[in-house]
Amino acid sequence: MDFLQARVVDPLSNVLNAHVLVYLLIGAGVYFTVRTRFIQIRYFGRMLRQVRRSHRHEGGISSFQAFCVGLASRVGTGNIAGVAIALTVGGPGAIFWMWVVAGVGMATAVVEAVLAQIFKVRSGDGAFRGGPAFYIQRGLRSRAGAVLFAVLLVLTFSTAFNMVETNAISGVLKSSHGVGIGWTAAALAVLAAPVLFGGVRRVAQFAEMAVPLVAVVYTLLALAIVAVNVTALPGVLGEIIGGAFGIRQMAGGFAGGIATALFTGVKRGLFACEAGMGSSPNIAGAATVAHPVEQGLIQSFAVFVDTMVICTATAFIVLMSGPAVYDPAHIGPIAGASLTESAIAAGLGSWTTGLMTAVVCVFGFASVLSNYVVAEANLFFLGGRRLAINALKVATLGAIVAGALSTLTLVWSIADLTMALMAIVNLTAICLLGRWAFAALRDFHRQAARGERPVFVAAEAGLPGELDGDVWAAPERRPVGALPDSLRISRPLPRALKPSRAPAA
């Protein structure tokens, strides 16, 4: 395993992240920010209203449930363990680049979620399916590209990412409570099995109940630490900004340099907020909304909550813990989620250890379930049905056990590599399909400016091509209770679903 990591996984991951992904990720985010006229700022208030007024609908999960499932996938141990690893590897400056990735990533999240909604289809059980595989095939007319992305995602989310989550859980339980990793692995598998075999809606119900509550508890812990150490806040911000541009390193205060902070921040930022990776659109495409942009705004707000709130909370917790716990110039043996837990205990007392263990376990467990939902949607796209989906559930349980038993460095190295490959494919696709999202945004803005509740009708939205199917047909032309075979997928999408090369409107 060490040989594989040193000779194959790490070199390839470093090339992709340092020479391809960092420029593509930030470049695409800046492009979408400009083309949408800074939608993450202009529509921020509407994002809040959209989350509040989400309702349940027949035929899919509610917009708020999609928000919670997406947030569960984002707000996992990446926000606790990932941020702590970013601080130990890249120094405080890595946090600044995480902010940059999330800031421009909010616009990227809008675009990919809107595309997932535009090109979504309905399966035989009435639920919606959508995501990069669907918009690559239907929008770009590339079956090969769609299959490549779907395969990468199934492998990444059913194995690598779930291994990361359970590894963090087992590490915290062992370091803080002396629980053997074998017991942790067995317990996680037993707890996950009934939820996984209960289907997507059961995962959505769990995420809807657990994730918002735990996120609030964790944020309150961070606010308490900041309040206790409020005088240190300017110094912490100085460390973050100075570290991002190499000022502290040049002064001899920290190890590493600007490149390390930049690349580490981008990798950990992408893992945490997932904007541009292509995972959250699979969940966004499952929601029932009146207009695709509604779900785009909700997914964008999830990026804000994930990074600007929860990741920042973790960063402040660790940076305010003092040199006994975290010293950027002399990294100690504690890493990952255990570092965050130790930092909270140093700031508020040992009574927080049990509470933080619960937070890590709930975040990690919710992420495992949400990761499975994303993997299942893409296996469905590949033509997998009952037998294949059940096999995926068994494989997910195996990854849960393997992750709890694996080493921290190997798990994160595999996740970094597969994540980079996924993101490169998805970012290329959404840049090529951006005009579809921009047309939907213009349609949404026109209707909202008239004081109407925007309703999306494909034939009237000024799309750059013909959108086949009747998911977005006018209400009076949409069949009631029945859908054509083209939208009840029981096999790979036929050519009839591929849009024409009609000129841009």
Side-chain angles (χ1 to χ4, degrees):
M1 285 296 183
D2 290 339
F3 176 83
L4 177 65
Q5 180 181 349
R7 295 297 182 90
V8 180
V9 176
D10 285 346
L12 184 56
S13 176
N14 290 336
V15 169
L16 291 177
N17 282 284
H19 300 290
V20 180
L21 184 59
V22 62
Y23 304 109
L24 185 59
L25 186 67
I26 296 178
V30 171
Y31 169 68
F32 291 131
T33 295
V34 173
R35 284 300 306 269
T36 61
R37 294 182 295 134
F38 292 83
I39 191 171
Q40 61 267 60
I41 298 174
R42 291 190 301 118
Y43 274 38
F44 188 79
R46 193 170 189 114
M47 293 178 190
L48 296 173
R49 295 194 298 272
Q50 193 64 46
V51 171
R52 288 201 307 268
R53 72 182 184 186
S54 172
H55 301 289
R56 296 178 186 274
H57 297 276
E58 186 178 353
I61 63 176
S62 75
S63 187
F64 181 71
Q65 285 180 324
F67 167 78
C68 290
V69 175
L71 193 61
S73 180
R74 291 183 173 97
V75 184
T77 57
N79 300 75
I80 299 174
V83 174
I85 290 173
L87 286 168
T88 57
V89 175
I95 304 305
F96 176 85
W97 296 111
M98 291 182 71
W99 290 342
V100 171
V101 168
V104 298
M106 289 178 70
T108 304
V110 171
V111 171
E112 61 182 1
V114 168
L115 290 173
Q117 279 285 325
I118 290 174
F119 292 105
K120 72 182 180 182
V121 299
R122 198 192 298 261
S123 61
D125 62 358
F128 290 116
R129 296 287 190 273
F134 293 89
Y135 56 66
I136 290 172
Q137 175 158 305
R138 298 188 66 194
L140 294 178
R141 305 200 301 175
S142 173
R143 174 67 181 172
V147 169
L148 172 63
F149 180 86
V151 170
L152 284 172
L153 190 143
V154 170
L155 293 175
T156 301
F157 276 74
S158 64
T159 55
F161 280 10
N162 282 338
M163 290 172 68
V164 167
E165 303 298 342
T166 57
N167 181 270
I169 294 173
S170 66
V172 166
L173 288 174
K174 182 174 179 60
S175 64
S176 300
H177 306 281
V179 179
I181 57 176
W183 288 107
T184 299
L188 288 172
V190 169
L191 290 172
V195 184
L196 291 179
F197 283 91
V200 173
R201 289 185 177 90
R202 184 172 292 182
V203 175
Q205 291 166 359
F206 173 83
E208 185 179 29
M209 291 185 299
V211 173
L213 176 62
V214 177
V216 168
V217 169
Y218 184 64
T219 304
L220 289 176
L221 285 173
L223 289 174
I225 289 178
V226 171
V228 171
N229 301 278
V230 68
T231 57
L233 186 57
V236 167
L237 293 174
E239 291 178 4
I240 292 173
I241 303 300
F245 297 100
I247 298 172
R248 298 284 183 173
Q249 292 90 331
M250 288 186 291
F254 302 105
I258 183 173
T260 303
L262 172 61
F263 297 141
T264 303
V266 169
K267 285 195 298 184
R268 295 283 72 82
L270 177 61
F271 183 87
C273 76
E274 300 187 15
M277 189 191 302
S279 53
S280 59
N282 295 275
I283 301 167
T288 304
V289 290
H291 198 289
V293 175
E294 291 184 354
Q295 195 59 36
L297 296 176
I298 284 181
Q299 296 305 120
S300 181
F301 182 66
V303 173
F304 176 85
V305 172
D306 169 87
T307 304
M308 300 304 190
V309 177
I310 299 178
C311 284
T312 300
T314 300
F316 285 173
I317 286 170
V318 175
L319 290 171
M320 290 180 171
S321 62
V325 177
Y326 172 76
D327 181 357
H330 303 90
I331 302 303
I334 304 177
S338 298
L339 175 60
T340 305
E341 189 176 68
S342 298
I344 291 180
L348 298 178
S350 59
W351 66 270
T352 60
T353 300
L355 183 59
M356 264 306 296
T357 299
V359 168
V360 171
C361 289
V362 173
F363 274 168
F365 188 70
S367 286
V368 167
L369 300 179
S370 300
N371 291 343
Y372 167 77
V373 171
V374 174
E376 183 189 288
N378 284 267
L379 183 61
F380 180 89
F381 173 84
L382 292 170
R385 292 302 176 262
R386 184 183 298 274
L387 180 60
I389 288 175
N390 285 336
L392 178 66
K393 293 173 181 178
V394 173
T396 300
L397 294 175
I400 289 172
V401 174
L405 301 173
S406 299
T407 62
L408 181 67
T409 55
L410 176 60
V411 167
W412 280 95
S413 295
I414 294 173
D416 283 341
L417 175 59
T418 54
M419 175 181 67
L421 292 170
M422 274 181 53
I424 290 169
V425 174
N426 181 61
L427 286 167
T428 302
I430 62 177
C431 286
L432 294 173
L433 290 170
R435 58 187 183 146
W436 290 78
F438 302 149
L441 285 166
R442 289 193 295 269
D443 178 66
F444 183 88
H445 182 72
R446 282 193 299 267
Q447 296 186 54
R450 296 195 297 262
E452 302 172 357
R453 168 77 185 276
V455 176
F456 187 73
V457 178
E460 303 168 4
L463 296 174
E466 180 183 352
L467 184 65
D468 295 319
D470 57 12
V471 168
W472 295 114
E476 63 272 13
R477 297 194 296 273
R478 187 179 299 138
V480 177
L483 289 163
D485 291 339
S486 61
L487 293 184
R488 295 185 180 280
I489 305 181
S490 58
R491 57 188 179 279
L493 292 174
R495 290 183 176 272
L497 277 179
K498 300 174 181 177
S500 66
R501 293 182 180 271

